[in-house]
Amino acid sequence: MKQSFLSLRAFLFTALLVVHAAAAPFPGAEWTIAARPEDAGFSGAKLAEARAYSKQIKSAAVMIVHDGVVVDQWGDVTRKLKSHSLRKSFMAFLYGKPVREGLINLDATMADLGIDDVLGLSDEEKKATVRDCLKARSGVYHPANYESKRMQGLKPARHSQKAGVHWYYNNWDFNVLGTIYENATRCGVYDAIENEIARPIGMQDFTAKDGDYVTGPHSMHRAYPFRISARDLARFGLLALHRGTWNGRQVIDPDWVDECVRYHSDAALYSTSGYGYLWWVARDFNKHPHLPHTRIPEGSFSARGAGGHHLLVIPAYNLIIVHRMNTNRSTNTGVGANEFGRLVELILAARLN
């Protein structure tokens, strides 16, 4: 009888360990790093191929996180590098709280909010809503701060589209969202990122001092880039993977996270599959894949910054991939989607099941 009881207790204890191991952990003060990639379900030999290719394209840092554990990492994951357009996905999540609290109405128009700009907005442009801007569908093609040459080259002619109709990756939309957020919350973007996201999920490096607004004569609305480390970006990805929950605490409303990473627009104009609210989203059967050279399961999503900065979240695999380039140096032109897609292909090929 005693032996049976001991056996049952041992079985239950083992079962609890299995359940605990299967549950996705969250990092504490430091990330948990697998002793070997095989312990986290990846081939070390295959990941060595990914690492070699990463060295070839001059990646500054890479992190691969599976089930909340770092499978492998290389480069300086602690160094704060430019965010570029990664900033936009942070803004998307910041909107969750003021929308829930009624401080921001997604259907409020630019006219309702008193939004204008240097050259003046037309009555049609003022019909654009907050929701249109989150979708990059404002139809406002006024000059914007922090625009790349590519963005300027793809930008439709001013007044050529009605509000809410045409998708175009538009820095005017993204920048005005910062203005609207700060007006509604009376809080600066960088303080909000630190207080609403970075501190609750234990980011190790980011503070509000890592932000530096970009202004210019072209527009009233500032851009809000910042610097962030690979390991902090991976925490943000884990937050997104778990629908805004962090170790039992709801940091971002889960329904809002779902809305942000849901497919809202075809992003063929940028040779990729889809777009949500300031996140790129994977969509099967669109003209272009989410990334070249590899198949990313539908339901995946990513944040992207110029020069090869990527945060890729693949819920189907419980996987996060962070890729950083040293675009702090003006001599480094970065890598494109083709190179990153090839790297992702090599990483996914290392999965053991």
Side-chain angles (χ1 to χ4, degrees):
M1 184 73 174
K2 182 178 180 182
Q3 184 63 38
S4 297
F5 173 76
L6 291 174
S7 297
L8 176 62
R9 187 171 67 174
F11 171 80
L12 292 174
F13 179 72
T14 302
L16 285 172
L17 286 178
V18 170
V19 170
H20 178 72
F26 291 84
E30 298 285 343
W31 280 93
T32 300
I33 302 174
R36 304 179 310 137
E38 285 77 9
D39 297 335
F42 282 73
S43 163
K46 290 287 187 181
L47 286 179
E49 295 179 22
R51 187 188 289 245
Y53 179 73
S54 175
K55 184 177 181 180
Q56 180 182 326
I57 62 174
K58 299 181 180 179
S59 305
V62 173
M63 284 185 72
I64 305 163
V65 179
H66 180 246
D67 287 342
V69 172
V70 178
V71 176
D72 203 355
Q73 62 182 20
W74 53 86
D76 188 350
V77 301
T78 70
R79 185 176 182 181
K80 300 177 186 181
L81 296 168
K82 289 182 178 180
S83 64
H84 298 280
S85 290
L86 296 170
R87 68 187 177 103
K88 297 158 189 175
S89 299
F90 280 78
M91 178 59 69
F93 277 12
L94 285 181
Y95 260 68
K97 183 177 179 180
V99 168
R100 185 186 70 247
E101 294 179 347
L103 295 176
I104 295 177
N105 175 4
L106 294 180
D107 297 315
T109 66
M110 299 302 104
D112 295 334
L113 298 169
I115 294 293
D116 211 329
D117 214 333
V118 172
L119 301 178
L121 299 187
S122 68
D123 290 343
E124 178 60 35
E125 288 174 322
K126 288 183 179 182
K127 293 178 183 177
T129 66
V130 176
R131 195 188 309 273
D132 292 334
C133 293
L134 286 165
K135 291 181 179 180
R137 285 176 169 269
S138 75
V140 180
Y141 304 131
H142 186 285
N145 291 312
Y146 207 50
E147 283 186 313
S148 68
K149 290 183 179 179
R150 184 186 186 196
M151 296 172 82
Q152 292 171 351
L154 292 172
K155 179 183 277 191
R158 186 98 188 268
H159 312 300
S160 63
Q161 299 288 339
K162 292 187 175 182
V165 176
H166 181 69
W167 182 85
Y168 158 70
Y169 187 73
N170 189 3
N171 256 22
W172 192 90
D173 295 20
F174 310 137
N175 295 345
V176 80
L177 286 170
T179 300
I180 293 167
Y181 179 89
E182 293 186 334
N183 289 346
T185 65
R186 304 300 180 192
C187 180
V189 168
Y190 302 125
D191 287 329
I193 292 173
E194 180 176 351
N195 296 329
E196 302 294 335
I197 296 175
R199 287 183 181 176
I201 67 176
M203 283 189 182
Q204 295 165 263
D205 307 305
F206 181 86
T207 71
K209 293 179 181 179
D210 293 313
D212 189 13
Y213 290 105
V214 175
T215 60
H218 311 294
S219 174
M220 299 176 181
H221 308 293
R222 305 181 294 183
Y224 41 88
F226 50 85
R227 286 177 168 78
I228 190 167
S229 66
R231 63 182 182 178
D232 280 353
L233 191 57
R235 285 182 185 250
F236 183 60
L238 193 62
L239 177 70
L241 177 67
H242 290 281
R243 301 178 62 231
T245 297
W246 189 267
N247 203 21
R249 176 182 177 181
Q250 199 68 55
V251 178
I252 310 293
D253 186 272
D255 292 335
W256 180 253
V257 173
D258 291 347
E259 184 69 4
C260 288
V261 302
R262 183 168 68 83
Y263 175 85
H264 290 285
S265 302
D266 188 323
L269 185 63
Y270 263 66
S271 300
T272 189
S273 52
Y275 202 70
Y277 285 177
L278 312 189
W279 286 86
W280 303 93
V281 299
R283 169 81 170 214
D284 289 342
F285 313 118
N286 277 19
K287 182 178 180 180
H288 299 284
H290 193 65
L291 288 168
H293 307 303
T294 186
R295 184 188 178 279
I296 307 298
E298 189 164 297
S300 304
F301 49 94
S302 61
R304 305 178 186 180
H309 297 274
H310 291 267
L311 168 61
L312 175 61
V313 181
I314 309 179
Y317 302 154
N318 208 5
L319 182 66
I320 297 159
I321 300 173
V322 172
H323 181 260
R324 309 304 308 280
M325 295 295 293
N326 186 9
T327 48
N328 289 353
R329 299 182 303 181
S330 59
T331 56
N332 192 324
T333 57
V335 303
N338 282 303
E339 291 87 355
F340 180 64
R342 173 61 178 153
L343 178 62
V344 171
E345 179 185 40
L346 292 169
I347 292 170
L348 295 184
R351 295 172 63 241
L352 295 175
N353 49 48

